[in-house]
Amino acid sequence: MMVLSNVVPRPRYYEERAGVALNITGGFRVDNQAGPECGFVGPIAEQILRAKTPSRDATSVVLVLGKEAVPDHEEGYRILVLPSGVKIKARTCTGLLRGAATLAQLCQTRNCGELPQMVIEDRPRFDWRGLSFDVARSFYPPQEVKKVIDLLTYYKMNVLHLHLTDDQGWRIEVDGYPELTEISGKTSGEGGRSGYFTKEEFTDLVEYAATRGVTIIPEIDLPGHTNAATHAVGDLVPGGKATEAYSGAEVGFSRLWAHLDSTQDFVDSVLTSLTALSPADYVHVGGDEALELSQSEYKELVELVLDSLAETGKKPVGWQEIAAVDLPGGSLIQYWDTRQDPAPVLAAVDAGARVIMSPAPHAYFDMGYEDQTPYGGDWAGNIDLETAYTWEPSEQVEGLPESAIIGVEGAVWTEKIHDFSQLSYMLLPRLAALAELGWSAKEALSWEDFASRIASQKAWWEEEGYDYYPEPTVAWSESE
Ligand code: TNX
């Protein structure tokens, strides 16, 4: 098992074989034989394996597509280590990327040295392994979002959910409503950064993520969390007077109004413009904490949003509260608030919805690790690494069968997390814990084993310039 001591998430199947080891002295050289549709995988695998300028004695990594002996999942892969080099086989281009991530971790530090002959066969437990990233309270420019995507790729996560709008700011250009970004692209939460993604920048992020096996799910938070919209577009407010900019950290005070014609036009324009940029099957439409709305107003507005979204051909994801509304088939509900009665979620699941598990007391990475954590908040409690790792998605809601759970998602809200260094400190190491929970076989999860493997990861974090919290329960110094 020693040879896997650097690998997170833990692979499903591994077998060491007798015989001469592979001696890696000059890094890797990628030989992409996977055909034109996976042409993009070669350069990305080179990046993951840091094979950009291979030396003459570089070890060859052959990439091939195939089904034989590859676990039956679109992200499944098989790695074969022979004395002559490494072969990665997968059913899809994404599967090849997953294999490359494992190989990179087997060789965490630049001098990989010897790898025994072996076979790894691997596939994920859950199809959805995501991170929800709030770029509305504090803006994070494209190059920083890319650094987050790199982390997801390294840990085989496949969804980046971008929370693009909230009370404090609006972060994506919308056709027909330039004031959204011209006005509310300049606001932020207190201490946070402002800014927004142009359509070109957003498209570039979608492409960057896609070639790394990550789908971007954009979120427009409706019908609450809308102060940035009502601040920029006075027509969304009865009487036509725009609301004041908001930089505080309260939630629940802002809203749309169903009886205004401008609301329909606004929602249609936002969703049409956004979906033209986003190839993902889903759009996250928020739905959380609309505390100023009566239940009937909430339903009316959410239905308006869902009908508008249906016109675009996309399926909705909504925060847990959205379960109160009749949802179209194929909808996803994001479970976050363990204080609320889950009965509506169970009813929605009975009616055909599936659930993304993001229980705040385990998966909210804006919570402190401990009382002294300098950033973030504490409303869902402290979340140390063990708490982030030790929870079972299928045991969060009584009566919710595992088959109804599409996967897991962490969340990082940024009211009190203002730059990349702080963000990274809050994500690492907890993001890696969530990644393993979402990927590895349930029976294989072990906190002690994870705690020993995570120690090896800091070499990569340090080389790549990611800050992290040196969780005291991990023996970091023993990693090298
Ligand atoms: C609750 S989680 C929120 C966010 C806050 C977060 C702070 C959810 C759907 N809504 O608006 O940023 O708590 O942790």
Side-chain angles (χ1 to χ4, degrees):
M1 228 33 212
M2 272 311 282
V3 71
L4 288 191
S5 64
N6 285 352
V7 183
V8 176
R10 189 186 200 277
R12 196 159 279 253
Y13 174 80
Y14 156 84
E15 186 191 308
E16 214 169 301
R17 293 185 171 170
V20 188
L22 170 65
N23 196 3
I24 302 164
T25 51
F28 291 116
R29 161 169 50 83
V30 173
D31 179 3
N32 186 4
Q33 300 180 7
E37 87 259 32
C38 297
F40 69 93
V41 170
I44 309 286
E46 283 173 357
Q47 278 173 26
I48 296 172
L49 294 164
R50 294 195 283 219
K52 263 282 164 247
T53 46
S55 65
R56 280 159 167 269
D57 55 348
T59 298
S60 119
V61 180
V62 178
L63 306 179
V64 289
L65 288 181
K67 288 190 174 149
E68 199 200 327
V70 179
D72 187 9
H73 189 281
E74 66 168 26
E75 293 179 274
Y77 67 90
R78 178 177 210 258
I79 294 178
L80 197 58
V81 177
L82 299 169
S84 55
V86 181
K87 185 168 157 185
I88 303 177
K89 188 161 134 187
R91 291 164 185 259
T92 68
C93 312
T94 306
L96 294 171
L97 291 170
R98 303 294 177 240
T102 298
L103 180 59
Q105 292 190 7
L106 284 168
C107 292
Q108 195 79 248
T109 50
R110 273 173 206 284
N111 296 319
C112 183
E114 289 201 341
L115 277 184
Q117 288 192 45
M118 63 176 156
V119 183
I120 294 174
E121 285 167 14
D122 200 10
R123 69 172 169 84
R125 175 180 175 195
F126 290 111
D127 288 344
W128 185 294
R129 305 172 310 281
L131 174 69
S132 171
F133 181 12
D134 174 9
V135 295
R137 273 61 174 263
S138 287
F139 183 63
Y140 290 79
Q143 67 273 19
E144 295 180 355
V145 177
K146 288 180 179 177
K147 289 284 283 182
V148 171
I149 294 169
D150 291 347
L151 271 181
L152 298 179
T153 302
Y154 203 67
Y155 293 113
K156 302 189 181 77
M157 295 177 75
N158 63 357
V159 171
L160 178 63
H161 159 187
L162 287 178
H163 184 75
L164 292 167
T165 70
D166 212 302
D167 294 319
Q168 296 84 347
W170 189 281
R171 308 296 177 216
I172 183 74
E173 280 186 320
V174 172
D175 288 334
Y177 286 85
E179 60 271 45
L180 286 169
T181 41
E182 278 166 13
I183 296 173
S184 289
K186 296 205 175 91
T187 60
S188 73
E190 199 182 326
R193 292 176 292 179
S194 58
Y196 63 89
F197 304 125
T198 63
K199 292 207 279 177
E200 294 71 26
E201 285 169 335
F202 184 80
T203 300
D204 177 59
L205 284 177
V206 166
E207 169 80 10
Y208 184 92
T211 54
R212 287 160 179 79
V214 175
T215 301
I216 291 188
I217 304 293
E219 177 185 353
I220 305 293
D221 203 347
L222 301 165
H225 287 272
T226 47
N227 191 68
T230 54
H231 172 58
V233 185
D235 283 351
L236 294 174
V237 184
K241 187 169 177 296
T243 56
E244 296 290 318
Y246 183 72
S247 64
E250 298 299 318
V251 295
F253 60 88
S254 57
R255 61 170 298 175
L256 296 180
W257 301 82
H259 71 274
L260 296 178
D261 291 343
S262 46
T263 298
Q264 181 80 54
D265 182 68
F266 168 77
V267 171
D268 289 344
S269 300
V270 168
L271 294 178
T272 308
S273 177
L274 181 72
T275 51
L277 302 177
S278 174
D281 294 339
Y282 296 94
V283 171
H284 203 303
V285 293
D288 57 319
E289 300 171 321
L291 306 179
E292 290 297 312
L293 301 176
S294 68
Q295 194 63 359
S296 67
E297 285 179 311
Y298 178 79
K299 282 191 178 167
E300 191 180 358
L301 278 160
V302 171
E303 278 162 14
L304 181 154
V305 170
L306 294 175
D307 289 346
S308 177
L309 183 67
E311 293 290 312
T312 70
K314 304 288 187 183
K315 291 181 279 187
V317 189
W319 296 107
Q320 183 171 350
E321 291 94 321
I322 210 170
V325 177
D326 286 336
L327 298 170
S331 299
L332 300 179
I333 295 169
Q334 187 159 13
Y335 177 80
W336 66 279
D337 192 347
T338 54
R339 304 162 300 191
Q340 285 180 44
D341 177 7
V345 174
L346 292 170
V349 164
D350 274 342
R354 297 184 78 199
V355 178
I356 301 167
M357 274 293 161
S358 304
H362 297 285
Y364 269 29
F365 302 144
D366 55 318
M367 296 300 109
Y369 292 90
E370 41 144 12
D371 291 343
Q372 280 73 41
T373 300
Y375 324 117
D378 62 5
W379 70 263
N382 290 334
I383 304 181
D384 63 12
L385 186 60
E386 185 169 359
T387 305
Y389 185 84
T390 316
W391 60 281
E392 168 47 39
S394 67
E395 286 168 13
Q396 296 305 301
V397 176
E398 215 186 308
L400 184 71
E402 177 157 346
S403 57
I405 299 172
I406 189 168
V408 295
E409 201 173 282
V412 61
W413 303 96
T414 57
E415 293 96 331
K416 296 174 189 158
I417 300 172
H418 297 144
D419 64 27
F420 191 78
S421 151
Q422 297 176 3
L423 178 79
S424 173
Y425 179 92
M426 297 305 271
L427 290 179
L428 297 173
R430 291 181 292 196
L431 184 73
L434 182 78
E436 176 149 310
L437 200 61
W439 179 283
S440 301
K442 182 175 172 180
E443 315 70 58
L445 298 173
S446 147
W447 159 245
E448 285 73 25
D449 185 57
F450 173 77
S452 80
R453 274 177 296 115
I454 195 69
S456 66
Q457 303 295 304
K458 78 166 187 176
W460 184 74
W461 300 336
E462 286 172 355
E463 283 175 25
E464 298 291 323
Y466 292 104
D467 281 321
Y468 63 96
Y469 170 62
E471 174 77 38
T473 49
V474 172
W476 300 102
S477 55
E478 290 168 21
S479 62
E480 250 114 288

